[in-house]
Structure formats: C-alpha cells, structure tokens
Amino acid sequence: MVSAPTLGRRRQRRSGEREKSIRAAALRIFRQKGYHAASMQNIADAVGLYKGSLYYYVSSKEELLVRLFEGRADQVLGELRVITDGTGTCTEQLRAMVRAYVLGVLRNLDSVRVYLHEEHVLPPAALRHVHAEQRTMRDLFEGVIDDGMRDGTFVGTDPKLAALALLGMCTWVHRWYRPRGRLTETAIADDFAERAIRMLNV
Amino acid sequence: MVSAPTLGRRRQRRSGEREKSIRAAALRIFRQKGYHAASMQNIADAVGLYKGSLYYYVSSKEELLVRLFEGRADQVLGELRVITDGTGTCTEQLRAMVRAYVLGVLRNLDSVRVYLHEEHVLPPAALRHVHAEQRTMRDLFEGVIDDGMRDGTFVGTDPKLAALALLGMCTWVHRWYRPRGRLTETAIADDFAERAIRMLNV
DNA sequence: CCGTTTCTACCGAACGGTCGTTTGGTATAT
DNA sequence: ATATACCAAACGACCGTTCGGTAGAAACGG
C-alpha cells in the first residue's frame, strides 16, 4: 500500500458532478420549502437517488445547509473591498458599491434567500461566521459614508443608521424581484445606486 | 333547553386569559425558533399545560399560526389611509407615512418577524390575504409618490421601484433593531422619514 | 342550605406518521 | 479482486393529534 489507489478519472468526475447536483437540489428545495419543511427524500427525488444514498456524499442534513452558506458572501465582499481600496471619490465609491451589492443579490437569488432565511438553523460557530460577514459588509458601507460625512460630501448625523437604511433598501430586493419581470438587473442596480446617493445628500 | 346555560363569569374570564396566553406564547416561540422547529410541547411548557390540552383551545398548530396573522396589518393600514385621505402635501404625507410604518414595525417586532418569516407556511387562502395586504401597502406608498412626481414635488422615473426601495429600507429595520439599543423608536422613524424624502428629491 | 347533576378544563397515555440516519448487501467499473 | 456508488429496508426519535378519564366548580332541585 505504497500509494493510494488512483480513483478512475471518469468515476471521479461523475461523482463530483453528482455531489454538485445534490447541493444544487438542496439549495433549490431549501429555498422553496424552507430547511425544516424540506426532507432528505425531497432532495433524493430531485437527483434520482434513494434518500439513504445521499449519505454517501453528505454526512447530515445540517452539514448540507452549512456548506450552502460557505463562501457565499466572498465574491461581493471582494468586490466591495476593491472599490473601497480604490481611488474614487466617496460618491463614486458608494455608487459602485450599491451597484455591486444589488447585482450580487439579484444574480444569486436562491442563495441569498436561503442565506437570509435559514440563518437561525446554523450551529453556533457557523452562525457567528455569518454574522461576522454581515458586520463586515455593514462596516464597509459605514466607512465610506463616514468618510463622505467628514469631508462634507454627505450630510447627516448617523453613519451607522444610514448604512442600515441603505442595506435594507438593497437587501430587500430579494423579496420582490422576479427574474423575468419588467425591470432588468442593471436598471434596478443603477436606480438604487442613484437613490443611495440622493439619500445621503441634502 | 330553552336557553343555553350561562357560563360562569369567573370561568369565562379565566378561560379567555388562558387562550390569550397560549397565543402570546405561540407568537414568542414561533418567532424564536421558527414555525416548524417550534413544537406544541414548547408552547405547552410555556403556559404550564400538557401539549394535548392545547387542543381544548386550538384546533391545530396551523390554525394557531393563521390566527397570529389576522388583523396584524390593520392598524398600520388604517393609519396610512388616514394620511393619504388627508390634506397634507405629498412631502408631508410621505413623511408621516414612513413614520407610521416604521413605528408600526418597531412596536410590533415579534408579530412582524413572524409575519415576514412564516408566510410560506400559510394555507393558500390566508396567503392570498397576506399578499393582498402587502400589495395594498405598496399601492398606498406608490400612490403618494406618483402624485408627487406628477406635480413636480418628487423626481424620478419609476414610482413602483421607488416604493419598493422605500419599503425595503423601512421593513428591514425588523432585522437589526434591538429594543434597548442606542436609538429610540422615534429617532429611527424620523431619520427614515427624512431619508425617504431626500431619496425622492433631486 | 344541601345533595345531585352537569359541564368545564385539563390530564396522561397512546397513536399513526414522518423524519433523519444507519446498515448490510450488491451490481458495476476499474 | 477490489473499491465505488448505490439500493432497500429498517430503526429510533419525535411530532401533531386524539381520546377516555376526572377533579372541581357551577347549576339545579328540593
């Protein structure tokens, strides 16, 4: 037993695809019915397996949920940091941030809905991590708003409250947006970016 | 059996109080754990009964939830209608509406959280009713915004989108507000009312 | 006022069902 | 021949709900 037996390439790929399809089905079904109302049987049906067979890929239902949360905020957080580390004015930065955030929500609707709706099911460690992500997100907006207030670009008394107002407006789109609706993603993002600026000017 | 036997006054009152305490406990527990994760045993424990005994007052867990939704939006809807039917300018009306809405959320946190979180558990008829309430709420805001755009008080292109942005900002407070926090209810309501106006002016 | 009956409010156990998870087995590909 | 990917059945726990029973208060008859 010198070297671990190499897994066949085709098998490995098929197995990886199966795992992905399980996670995709779980995401969709958790979003539709909610975590508690969704059963392992539902997920198994969706991928064409017996529910017991899911445990070849997944150790528990809870783990399945926890993994759905992992890395979900990274892309938007990265985009936001690139913007705040850049050279734009406060107004330009905030406009770009709102755009990135709203597009992030609109382009990952299922993930966002599960992320916001099933938070309370997470085990303590995972929950703390999610809360930390949300705090970071808030801090990034608050920082730009605070900068703008200091240099007179923005007016108002409470950057924290302003950030919460702004994030609320942007986050709430996940509740009413329908992919084939009247408005395009970018139309909404641009409108909200403009509205955010107005909200902070006098 | 000419007249139904009169229920003793004391009994009647005690029984009514018990029913109220069951609903209050259900509201609190549904809010804390979510509808599906909350058990009838949890509710029974909270009021000091055996879980089977709850069915003397309630016909099912689902009915318990449905009743928690009933009339929950009426007060705020009434206040909003009084404002829109009044004689104020668009700006004055919108400011008052945002104030009323935000205060309605802040002063009924548990109800609002269950209302927004457990919607999807409702049977079809009750769900339609809730959606109708939400549509009415949106229409009231949209109407005032539309009036303001026509007469030049407000600027912008899409009253529907503006209403959604505004409602998102105001509704989202239920996620971050903590009763004994830094800011008072009225401070938040006033700030948001001002922000709403700014959002619609150029 | 007292004895009897009636009904309320609740107990305590049980039931049927569903759920997440485990396990022993097996066909297939390597 | 060996590990993989999956089946098929079963298990134990828990859930919402039902139900026969009962202590005690209220209503009733005298």
Side-chain angles (χ1 to χ4, degrees), chain A residues 9-83:
Chain A
R9 292 282 163 82
R10 290 173 61 96
R11 271 204 170 181
Q12 199 171 31
R13 191 147 58 86
R14 294 264 301 165
S15 179
E17 285 168 12
R18 182 71 79 154
E19 195 176 337
K20 270 196 209 168
S21 82
I22 290 174
R23 293 201 201 291
L27 176 62
R28 197 174 60 249
I29 292 169
F30 285 166
R31 199 270 290 165
Q32 285 166 359
K33 318 181 92 173
Y35 175 79
H36 278 107
S39 69
M40 295 301 269
Q41 186 67 64
N42 295 146
I43 299 170
D45 290 348
V47 296
L49 287 178
Y50 280 61
K51 64 172 178 171
S53 307
L54 294 177
Y55 289 82
Y56 182 77
Y57 297 94
V58 169
S59 74
S60 74
K61 188 186 179 187
E62 190 183 81
E63 188 237 25
L64 195 48
L65 180 71
V66 171
R67 304 283 287 254
L68 289 182
F69 275 75
E70 279 173 5
R72 216 37 80 138
D74 289 352
Q75 192 187 329
V76 168
L77 271 174
E79 291 175 21
L80 292 183
R81 265 192 265 263
V82 167
I83 295 167

Side-chain angles (χ1 to χ4, degrees), chain B residues 9-202:
Chain B
R9 291 281 164 81
R10 289 175 59 97
R11 273 205 169 179
Q12 200 172 30
R13 191 149 57 87
R14 293 264 301 165
S15 180
E17 284 168 13
R18 182 71 77 154
E19 195 176 336
K20 269 198 211 168
S21 82
I22 290 173
R23 293 201 201 289
L27 176 62
R28 197 174 61 250
I29 292 170
F30 285 166
R31 198 269 289 165
Q32 284 167 1
K33 318 182 94 175
Y35 176 80
H36 278 108
S39 69
M40 294 300 269
Q41 185 67 64
N42 294 147
I43 299 170
D45 289 347
V47 296
L49 288 178
Y50 279 60
K51 65 172 178 172
S53 307
L54 294 177
Y55 289 82
Y56 183 77
Y57 296 94
V58 169
S59 73
S60 75
K61 189 185 179 188
E62 190 183 80
E63 189 236 24
L64 196 47
L65 181 70
V66 171
R67 304 284 287 254
L68 289 182
F69 275 74
E70 280 174 5
R72 215 39 78 139
D74 288 353
Q75 192 188 328
V76 168
L77 272 173
E79 292 176 19
L80 292 183
R81 264 192 267 265
V82 167
I83 295 168
T84 56
D85 292 349
T87 60
T89 66
C90 292
T91 301
E92 287 165 357
Q93 284 190 2
L94 195 68
R95 209 192 308 266
M97 287 171 74
V98 169
R99 254 188 70 95
Y101 185 89
V102 171
L103 286 177
V105 171
L106 293 177
R107 288 174 180 162
N108 301 279
L109 269 187
D110 281 355
S111 297
V112 169
R113 283 173 184 165
V114 170
Y115 190 93
L116 292 171
H117 209 108
E118 309 299 348
E119 223 192 69
H120 65 288
V121 181
L122 294 177
L127 183 58
R128 274 194 301 274
H129 185 254
V130 166
H131 282 165
E133 282 178 346
Q134 296 175 356
R135 203 176 321 119
T136 303
M137 199 89 71
R138 221 187 49 208
D139 288 343
L140 286 170
F141 278 92
E142 195 184 317
V144 173
I145 294 171
D146 202 39
D147 288 349
M149 284 187 183
R150 278 184 213 285
D151 72 13
T153 308
F154 302 144
V155 298
T157 53
D158 198 327
K160 275 196 208 311
L161 193 53
L164 290 168
L166 210 152
L167 275 169
M169 172 179 88
C170 297
T171 306
W172 197 246
V173 299
H174 81 273
R175 291 276 302 208
W176 53 263
Y177 178 68
R178 297 291 173 271
R180 276 166 295 284
R182 183 170 54 92
L183 298 161
T184 65
E185 294 168 353
T186 50
I188 296 168
D190 288 340
D191 184 282
F192 274 39
E194 206 48 45
R195 237 172 261 285
I197 303 299
R198 283 194 205 151
M199 205 167 82
L200 290 163
N201 287 334
V202 74

